[in-house]
Amino acid sequence: MGEILRMEGISKSFPGVKALDNVNIVVNSGEVHALLGENGAGKSTLMKILNGVYAPDEGKIIVKGKEVSIHNIKEAQELGISIIFQEFNLCPDLTVADNVYIGRHKNKFGFVDAKYVEKETQKILDRFKLNMIKPGDVVMTMSVAQMQMVEICKAMSFDSDVVVFDEPTAALADSEIEQLFMVIKQLQKEGKGIIYISHRMEELSKIADRVTVLRDGQQVGDPFDFASVTLDELINRMVGRTMEDKYPKHERKIGEVFFEANHIRNKKVNVDHIDVRKGEILGIAGLMGAGRTEMARAIFGADPVSSIEVKVNGKKVNVGSPGQAIKNGIAYLTEDRKNEGLALRLDCEKNINMASMKKISKYGFVINKTAEENAKHYVDALSVKTPKLGQLAQFLSGGNQQKLVLAKWLSRQVDLLIFDEPTRGIDVGAKFEIYKLMNELSDQGVGIIMISSELPELLGMSDRVALMHEGSIVGEVIAKETTQEEIMEYITGLKTKGTEREGNE
Amino acid sequence: GCGKKAADETTAAKKDETTKAAEEKTTEAKKDETTEAKKEEGASGSKTIYVIGKESQYNHWLCLQDGAEACGKEKGYDVIYQAPPLGEVDIEKQVSMVEAAIGTKPAAIVLAPNDTDALAGACAEVQEAGIPMVLVDSKISTEDYDCLVALDNEKAGADVAEEIAQRIGGKGQVGIISAVPGGATIMARENGFINYIKEKYPDIEIVGEILYSQNDSSKAMSQTYDMLAAYPDIKAFYTTNTPTAEGIASALEEKGLGGKVLLGSFDSSDTINGYIQNGTIAACSVAEAYNMGYESVAQAINLIEGKDVEKFVNSGNSIVTPANFDDEHIQELLYPFGK
Amino acid sequence: MNNSNTVKNKITRTKFANFLGSMAGLFGLIIIFSILSRAFLTVDNVISITLSVAIYATLACGISFVLIIGGAELSAGSVVGVAGAIFCVSLRAGIPAWICIIITIGCGILCGLFNGFLVTKMHLIPFIATLGTQYIFRGATYIISSGSSISVREVASEGDLAGLKFIGSGKILGIPMLVYIMVICAVILTIVLSKTTLGRKIFATGSNVEAARLSGISTDKITTIAYMFSGGMAGLAGVMLTTRLLSAQPTAGTSFELEGIAASVIGGVSMMGGQGTIPGAVMGAFIVGIMRNGLNLLGVNTFWQQVITGVIIIVAVWADIMRRRREASKK
Amino acid sequence: MNNSNTVKNKITRTKFANFLGSMAGLFGLIIIFSILSRAFLTVDNVISITLSVAIYATLACGISFVLIIGGAELSAGSVVGVAGAIFCVSLRAGIPAWICIIITIGCGILCGLFNGFLVTKMHLIPFIATLGTQYIFRGATYIISSGSSISVREVASEGDLAGLKFIGSGKILGIPMLVYIMVICAVILTIVLSKTTLGRKIFATGSNVEAARLSGISTDKITTIAYMFSGGMAGLAGVMLTTRLLSAQPTAGTSFELEGIAASVIGGVSMMGGQGTIPGAVMGAFIVGIMRNGLNLLGVNTFWQQVITGVIIIVAVWADIMRRRREASKK
Ligand SMILES: Nc1ncnc2c1ncn2[C@@H]1O[C@H](COP(=O)(O)OP(=O)(O)OP(=O)(O)O)[C@@H](O)[C@H]1O
Ligand SMILES: Nc1ncnc2c1ncn2[C@@H]1O[C@H](COP(=O)(O)OP(=O)(O)OP(=O)(O)O)[C@@H](O)[C@H]1O
Ligand SMILES: [Mg+2]
Ligand SMILES: [Mg+2]
């Protein structure tokens, strides 16, 4: 087990953020090196530096004893370093084999040796026993997990010594995760060094050998063996404070049930019943792909459903389109704010007022003063950092963009707010503000559904937690009375309960 | 309509013979040859004559079509009139049309070629296929045709030049806004005018470059304005086809210059006729289109029936001016389908 | 309050800067041509420029709506043609002229509705949908007019003819009626786009259709409305053209859509959607019109004019991209 | 080995299914017309169809490259025009015909290079870049030809004339030379697109330009090459048209680009990039050509033909979208 990669004294600043501050990491061959830290701790940035996406401000990279400088992904690959990003870099119209060999097809006089490429791809697939993927499959038709496997094959086709996985399980179902782990173990056996980034503590125990922890861009202590610490200690190192600090303490006055949705059915969702009380935060837990987003979109009328019944204050309402859902007091904050939440090329004011046209207009004419005052009110209330109301949304940082989306719905004043991963990619300070806001909203009697992949956040913020597994709600727990372990048991499908209870109601 | 009467007069002698002969023949033929004709249709001797024009929207072509169809009807032939949808610029499609026509083995093909060279190949193909080939309106650059029925565009251009020159007193500035560059007819009309002026009226100055409207009337209007601004003393405009003439005329009228700045043009349309009547257009060469169509089919039939045919048949034109506007013949020519 | 004021000022300033971009081009042209040709800056010539631009500008205003929503509009020229034919045919049917105008604009709006239907309900990409309707509407023009040009003098009643002549070539205070029409339309569309909720919805849809939909905007409806605006303006442009020429030709409006798109884009309307202004589009039309006029005055031949038009399109859009980049990097 | 075989079958099957889509349309048309017109399925007519389609199909093959890369190509028609002019002018200069052909195609490729430059280096969106060059190249055509049509008979030497006539209207084994040229080009481009690394890079760039770039493909270069292919094919189409007509018109090729785009898209080439085949594009050209021919034979008037062309574009693309949706939902 020799050292194959060393990053020394790496620092990197972005305008306004010190993303990395003197970070060191050493990877040995045949080990799975976990890189842990909160959102925004700088993990991805470190890996992007390793792969030449960003240049470090300071520090050096040493591969197999030789100092190197890496300027792009291709150079990294040639040095035997591959990364599997969470957002894929595949060409959807091409086949698996073509994607694996993209840009470097073996050729005779410029002709593609399709047979060779397919054979080689097949070899790699065989090596990892990925027999459900064929070299000739078109990527567009594959599932997310399969696409990830293609990315891995691509990395392996370079015969890389170091493979980086940046949150690989984020989009995978359980069985798929098992398969991924098998692949990783295989790599390990072959003597590769693996850097593994994940927010899921539970799965780490299955594969991680050593751990490096980052916190706010700084390294916390030296790397240590995973087996030598308990999970609690690990989290303590990552967060640097106890759980109580992270979520604002709050007493909620919960009213009666005002929102109900029944028989939500479509391809991905099969939910019989879900309800929300006034002033309540209902958490939704589930693994990625459990269908939480799909359920939320169905309630919001964003996607077609085969059946749904929504009652607000006991009255059946129509949610055939987002417009109708909004009219009935339902709002939805998408998980993908760049593509679905914001009009990036419009300014803050227009984004904030986008869902509140009535409020800022008379007889269909916009009253500029009202519009600006309204926007300004929410910019102040959420302390959105922007030089001016006329700033285009695309120039705001991620957290401030998220606040803009929030401002849009606060301005609309709805009864039910569905937050889908509201704190994804948001720094600690901004998270805390969003939590406070959620509390304020619940004080005003607004019901909240919060979808989150971070169990601590769910436990810290919600009153009840509905548990989803493979499209159905398989149970419901009271946040104060449960543990992460219990929730995990439900959402991984080990345990079901409460489905009968809901059925009986 | 279509100035048919007048046309009859102009080529009276010729026509009497041909039509009478044909009439006799057809009536006989109807009795004796119907069965035979039917058989022939199955083989190659169909009774269909394709007339492929340049376009199908302006009176000139409608009249030509009328004349052609009238002649066909008179003599017992089916005349099918076709034209490319984009009009004169649509050369490639016209070639395809001729080729498609050859494919159906018609009795004869009458063609108004959109281009002198471009259609030459197609005409040769027609002749190779043993189908009588009559050109109408314009010629091609080769001799691969049996007969040409046309008006001499260069001479017509000179006719218009003479009329305009007379009206402006033989001196002053004249501007030319033409249609689409390149076409043989258009070029002949441009050259006829320019050469005549240069030769006969050295005191008349043709100003600036020839502008091209691309058959867009609104562009022609703007170009007229621009010419007027650049050459405030301009005495007359000359143009080579209908859409451009309409544009220039309405620009002149808009400026209140109708009849003060003269316009010489070609071919008629309802709109053009109005402009002649009110004096905006001072001279307009109108081809005897009905006669052209009629004569082209008549020659085609002569060829089908194995008669001798001359290589060139002039179909003639008239210069319409505000002065002769009310003449009976001119009225027939301008309002072939009634007002 | 103080704070809010500076915010407002800043917004105004940015908009003004954008506007200046096109203005600079316009004034550059004007200055060059007034130096090179004495005939250029005369009252007559200025009026004749506005007159030649009026129809294109009207069309460009409508097309801008579609471009802002992120669509494409290749059928506008054919709608101009079909509108002229419908106008004359309905005049011929003895319908009073002002009703004919309404009918014609209505038909233009229907054409837009059809485009909108193809794009939103049949999910065709806008380029293909409007390419198809370009053929369809042009064919319809030929069919309606039986393929021949129709003279307004022949089909309109005496009284109507006078009115139509006045619209097409009359003047009030020395300014042609068509220019008034264009200006009125531009003002109305500017107000719609910048002052109404509809305008905001159009920008939102053009900027990010999914975000707009999830904000409760019925983006299909808004998209269709944008196409209807474009169709309606093309219909009006058809009426304007017909009254100006006093005849409707079946080929009228051919390739006007490209001129309209070029004008919009030169004036800063983004073909990616979400950006653009009506005054910008009008200015774009003027840039093209002034250039044509100036080159005609200078006696530059039509062939070079085509080349120069192409160059101006490319340079104008490129300058726009550069300006935006600079702004982005400045922030 | 067994495994790899089934894989191949799958690929072949999918491609075949796509191909079948267009084929179905084609055969549908053929059957309908052969029933309706006895003249349709004659040898002569079939040859005349292939002849009339040859030039459009050649053009569509080149345009497909640009569409597959995710671009737009509005200048192809003007390149056809400029190519014709250059061809005749170089003939006039006394250069042997075969060298003139190479020069002309070379100029077409240069036009493509210029488009590629505008798109990749000046970052213009393809629609605008090629709209601009449409004007520029058309203007250049007029300038080069001095605005008048040039007769090949006048400018070519005796020997060359015979050769050019043979290319334009000669036949071997009863099949016109132009058809051979078209087929050879289609075969070559098919091979380039499906068998070479260049082809893979083109698909990769069109499918996901960012992924392609990160994988070390110089997407700018590939994009430019695609435009150069299109330019080169347009240049060749210009030569073909000139030899067929034996003259170069300054207006030659006007709006050919729309026909070419329509053909490609009807044949299943996606305007969003990443999808399409050359045989598909050729088939698309044939669908349009057969329809025109059939309607001519049936004596349908040209006005209705325009409408029908538009309808076919819309229906073909819509059917394609539906098929893809069905496939996507199947998986
Ligand atoms: N391109 C960028 N421009 C500006 N700031 C950036 C950029 N990329 C990252 N950052 C900032 O750098 C910090 C570290 O980000 P990074 O993506 O490395 O976090 P992470 O540890 O991967 O978090 P997560 O677990 O959410 O993926 C964050 O504050 C982020 O906002
Ligand atoms: N647009 C899409 N096309 C194809 N598959 C999708 C799409 N959106 C989601 N999926 C897949 O559908 C499944 C359910 O996704 P969904 O987003 O509902 O899960 P989720 O529980 O909300 O998880 P997340 O934490 O990602 O929000 C996943 O496997 C996901 O990859
Ligand atoms: Mg990260
Ligand atoms: Mg989700």
Side-chain angles (χ1 to χ4, degrees), chain D residues 266-327:
Chain D
I266 289 173
V269 178
S270 162
M271 288 211 56
M272 319 293 280
Q275 289 181 337
T277 62
I278 296 299
V282 172
M283 201 121 51
F286 267 92
I287 289 178
V288 176
I290 286 179
M291 194 211 52
R292 289 246 166 83
N293 172 276
L295 295 177
N296 273 338
L297 290 188
L298 295 181
V300 173
N301 83 23
T302 34
F303 311 158
W304 278 104
Q305 291 191 23
Q306 290 239 42
V307 174
I308 294 172
T309 308
V311 170
I312 286 209
I313 292 174
I314 288 172
V315 169
V317 176
W318 175 77
D320 196 50
I321 291 171
M322 286 298 113
R323 203 184 58 230
R324 269 177 212 183
R325 281 210 171 174
R326 257 203 318 282
E327 265 166 33

Side-chain angles (χ1 to χ4, degrees), chain A residues 14 17 19 38-45 54 167 199:
Chain A
F14 292 112
V17 194
E38 284 183 297
N39 285 123
K43 307 175 296 281
S44 299
T45 305
Y54 297 143
E167 303 196 40
H199 290 290

Side-chain angles (χ1 to χ4, degrees), chain A residues 7-37:
Chain A
M7 295 178 81
E8 263 180 26
I10 305 283
S11 296
K12 173 80 189 171
S13 295
F14 292 112
V17 194
K18 181 114 193 172
L20 290 172
D21 187 6
N22 190 24
V23 174
N24 301 294
I25 185 169
V26 178
V27 180
N28 297 319
S29 74
E31 80 166 354
V32 175
H33 195 120
L35 189 56
L36 301 186

Side-chain angles (χ1 to χ4, degrees), chain B residues 56-58 85 209-212 216-219 221-223 225-226 229-230 243 246 250 253-255 270-271 275, chain C residues 39 44 48 51-52 142 147-149 151 153 168-169 241 244-245 247 249-251 256 293 296-297 299 301-302:
Chain B
S56 37
Q57 44 159 318
Y58 289 102
E209 299 262 353
I210 299 179
L211 297 178
Y212 292 95
D216 181 346
S217 305
S218 60
K219 201 167 269 166
M221 285 187 84
S222 307
Q223 287 168 336
Y225 282 133
D226 296 346
E246 286 186 12
S250 57
E253 242 179 36
E254 211 169 272
K255 277 252 170 186
D270 286 359
T271 319
Y275 286 123
Chain C
D44 263 15
S48 105
L51 197 49
S52 75
Y142 280 113
S148 58
S149 96
S151 165
R153 285 176 222 275
S169 40
L241 189 63
R244 190 161 183 221
L245 295 173
S247 81
Q249 294 160 10
T251 52
F256 274 28
N293 170 274
N296 277 340
L297 290 190
N301 81 24
T302 359

Side-chain angles (χ1 to χ4, degrees), chain D residues 11-321:
Chain D
I11 303 177
T12 331
R13 231 179 293 146
T14 339
K15 278 197 184 152
F16 195 62
N18 272 343
F19 202 70
L20 276 184
S22 319
M23 281 298 256
L26 195 62
F27 277 113
L29 278 178
I30 292 177
I31 290 169
I32 292 171
F33 284 129
S34 11
I35 293 170
L36 293 179
S37 161
R38 271 180 311 155
F40 183 75
L41 263 193
T42 58
V43 176
D44 268 9
N45 191 49
V46 169
I47 288 176
S48 112
I49 291 173
T50 55
L51 196 50
S52 76
V53 167
I55 293 170
Y56 289 121
T58 307
L59 197 67
C61 290
I63 289 177
S64 296
F65 267 60
V66 172
L67 297 185
I68 288 173
I69 211 134
E73 171 63 297
L74 296 179
S75 73
S78 292
V79 176
V80 169
V82 90
I86 287 170
F87 185 57
C88 283
V89 168
S90 51
L91 276 176
R92 187 189 281 156
I95 301 168
W98 65 273
I99 297 183
C100 292
I101 293 177
I102 293 172
I103 290 175
T104 308
I105 296 174
C107 287
I109 293 174
L110 279 183
C111 291
L113 181 66
F114 186 58
N115 280 331
F117 167 79
L118 294 179
V119 170
T120 60
K121 298 297 174 223
M122 288 180 72
H123 306 284
L124 294 178
I125 71 164
F127 186 98
I128 292 301
T130 54
L131 177 61
T133 52
Q134 180 188 100
Y135 283 93
I136 293 177
F137 298 153
R138 181 61 63 195
T141 312
Y142 282 120
I143 293 166
I144 292 170
S145 65
S146 316
S148 57
S149 82
I150 307 176
S151 165
V152 173
R153 286 174 224 276
E154 318 239 313
V155 294
S157 68
E158 270 309 297
D160 281 349
L161 184 59
L164 294 175
K165 264 188 180 166
F166 180 66
I167 293 175
S169 38
K171 286 177 187 167
I172 296 182
L173 303 175
I175 295 169
M177 281 303 290
L178 291 183
V179 176
Y180 285 108
I181 295 177
M182 181 269 282
V183 170
I184 290 170
C185 286
V187 169
I188 292 174
L189 293 200
T190 306
I191 291 172
V192 168
L193 210 49
S194 62
K195 301 281 176 205
T196 68
T197 53
L198 176 63
R200 296 297 150 105
K201 287 177 185 170
I202 287 175
F203 274 110
T205 306
S207 184
N208 182 345
V209 63
E210 195 54 24
R213 207 174 55 82
L214 287 179
S215 307
I217 295 173
S218 11
T219 49
D220 279 3
K221 204 177 85 187
I222 299 296
T223 304
T224 308
I225 289 176
Y227 279 99
M228 286 163 73
F229 263 99
S230 172
M233 295 307 284
L236 178 62
V239 173
M240 291 164 76
L241 189 63
T242 310
T243 57
R244 182 158 192 229
L245 303 179
L246 283 181
S247 81
Q249 305 292 322
T251 51
T254 304
S255 87
F256 274 27
E257 63 277 347
L258 295 183
E259 303 257 343
I261 291 174
S264 304
V265 168
I266 289 173
V269 178
S270 162
M271 288 211 56
M272 319 293 280
Q275 289 181 337
T277 62
I278 296 299
V282 172
M283 201 121 51
F286 267 92
I287 289 178
V288 176
I290 286 179
M291 194 211 52
R292 289 246 166 83
N293 172 276
L295 295 177
N296 273 338
L297 290 188
L298 295 181
V300 173
N301 83 23
T302 34
F303 311 158
W304 278 104
Q305 291 191 23
Q306 290 239 42
V307 174
I308 294 172
T309 308
V311 170
I312 286 209
I313 292 174
I314 288 172
V315 169
V317 176
W318 175 77
D320 196 50
I321 291 171

